Amino acid sequence: CAVIGVPDDVRDEAIVAIVVPDAQASGPALTEAEVIRWCRERLAAFRVPQVVRFRDELPRTVVGKIQKHILRRSVDLSSGSS
């Protein structure tokens, strides 16, 4: 999972959570509403992501750090897809 800020016309910056679901998890698939509900129960309101995107994997450097600049470029809030 990674959390990034992306430019937004309304809020100046929107919080986007990028989630990689566990492929080995049994049960129903994770939804955007479930992630946001989980965050609302545990985080302050200003920290709850407005958008959740699901990906198969996160881009990483050679040493394993998440490359957030690549994620920022790939997130398009207008279309609802990443």
Side-chain angles (χ1 to χ4, degrees):
C1 162
V3 178
I4 58 172
V6 295
D8 183 61
D9 294 336
V10 176
R11 294 175 288 264
D12 227 8
E13 192 170 64
I15 300 172
V16 179
I18 294 139
V19 178
V20 179
D22 186 0
Q24 299 172 358
S26 60
L30 192 61
T31 66
E32 180 178 9
E34 289 171 337
V35 173
I36 291 174
R37 186 182 71 236
W38 187 92
C39 290
R40 281 196 179 124
E41 292 171 358
R42 291 165 176 83
L43 300 173
F46 69 93
R47 293 184 179 201
V48 175
Q50 286 88 29
V51 179
V52 177
R53 296 286 187 254
F54 295 93
R55 293 182 63 134
D56 295 329
E57 61 182 14
L58 298 174
R60 295 185 180 266
T61 64
V62 195
V63 294
K65 290 185 176 183
I66 297 171
Q67 294 180 314
K68 291 185 177 183
H69 65 281
I70 293 174
L71 291 174
R72 280 186 197 96
R73 282 185 282 179
S74 69
V75 172
D76 180 10
L77 295 180
S78 63
S79 69
S81 65
S82 60

